[in-house]
Amino acid sequence: MIYSKFTSKIKKAITRFSFKRHPDTKQDHTKENVIGVNAYMARGNLSLQNGWYYTEEDIQKLKKKVLNYTYINK
Amino acid sequence: MEQQAEQLIEEIKKEFNEAEMLLKKAELAQGGLQIPAVNELRYAGQHLLRALSGTSPSELVDADDISDSDDYVSAKKHCLRAKYDAVEGPILFFLKQLQDFQEDYKNEPISSVFPDYIEKITNAENIKKQLANISSASRQNYANVVEGYFDQLYEISSRLPFVREELNKKISVDEKNKRYVIYGILIALLGILIKL
């Protein structure tokens, strides 16, 4: 208990003088934001509220992967 | 004329209900809602409203490419498209599962655990070819056909986890036997070396 308090105080002292990292602006949070908005607006459908849905874009991506594959090698 | 409209409304009602049922079935099978199918049902609703209220086309926004002078016919076509779109996603998902399964066990004798594997794979290949030939503009004509594909692939996909389990057991038994053979050879060599 005393040890953890001591180490947490040392950590605070060190981090006070460390350079703050800039937030990672390169990450695209669009999809997460869209899922968040859908979850807020959706009423009744659990799949929409949990972000479990497939858009036209998702289906076209999957279609490309699947239709280019051959199950039977000639 | 009214009788014709009533008949069309009955047909639209039937197709709409079937599309909703397929949408739910697909949602449970794949674990997610198919948004394109929901949009098609929205367009069907728009056409139906237009037909019932007699509103001119410019007052309602519609992004579809089905152009028919009769809004009832357009509504029915959108319901058929919704049926197609509802099962297209899960069909592709099942085909992908089969693809992953084939990649994972390409060096294993799958037929020993899954007797009609070759027949099912040939079936999947044919379904894939049929899907590739269906154009986006004519998908309302294939709504009932793809429902059959969904049922066939769902049956195969539901067996895959059990087949994987059995194949994994076989692989671990084979690995164990290989190790015993190697240990046996090493012990024999050690015995020869000691004798020398």
Side-chain angles (χ1 to χ4, degrees), chain A residues 38 44-49 51-74, chain B residues 24 27 30-36 84-85 88-89 92-96 98-99 102-103 121-122 124-125 128-129 131-132 134:
Chain A
N38 282 330
N45 189 293
L46 288 172
S47 295
L48 276 176
Q49 286 188 313
W52 303 332
Y53 57 83
Y54 302 96
T55 59
E56 184 66 37
E57 201 187 318
D58 298 328
I59 291 169
Q60 290 307 320
K61 271 187 201 168
L62 186 57
K63 210 174 189 175
K64 259 189 185 175
K65 277 187 203 169
V66 169
L67 297 184
N68 288 331
Y69 182 83
T70 321
Y71 293 98
I72 300 162
N73 291 318
K74 290 177 188 169
Chain B
K24 201 40 135 184
E27 187 184 344
Q30 197 184 352
L33 189 61
Q34 305 298 321
I35 299 295
Y84 182 95
D85 289 343
E88 188 190 22
L92 294 169
F93 175 72
F94 296 147
L95 287 171
K96 183 74 177 55
L98 207 47
Q99 182 183 327
Q102 202 179 37
E103 286 288 305
I121 273 285
T122 315
E125 179 70 24
K128 191 205 78 178
K129 284 182 183 164
L131 269 186
I134 297 171

Side-chain angles (χ1 to χ4, degrees), chain B residues 39-51 55-68 70-78 81:
Chain B
N39 281 336
E40 289 298 333
L41 289 179
R42 250 184 56 230
Y43 299 147
Q46 274 189 351
H47 279 284
L48 204 51
L49 269 176
R50 210 186 281 180
T55 323
S56 65
S58 59
E59 289 180 35
L60 285 171
V61 175
D62 192 353
D64 74 304
D65 56 352
I66 298 177
S67 55
D68 205 292
D70 192 337
D71 281 309
Y72 287 119
V73 174
S74 297
K76 188 178 171 184
K77 280 183 185 172
H78 278 295
R81 274 194 175 183

Side-chain angles (χ1 to χ4, degrees), chain B residues 15-16 21 24 26 29 50 67 89 94 111 114 130 134 142 151:
Chain B
E15 298 297 345
F16 195 98
M21 261 171 48
K24 201 40 135 184
R50 210 186 281 180
S67 55
F94 296 147
S111 302
F114 193 166
Q130 296 290 336
I134 297 171
Y142 298 92
D151 292 330

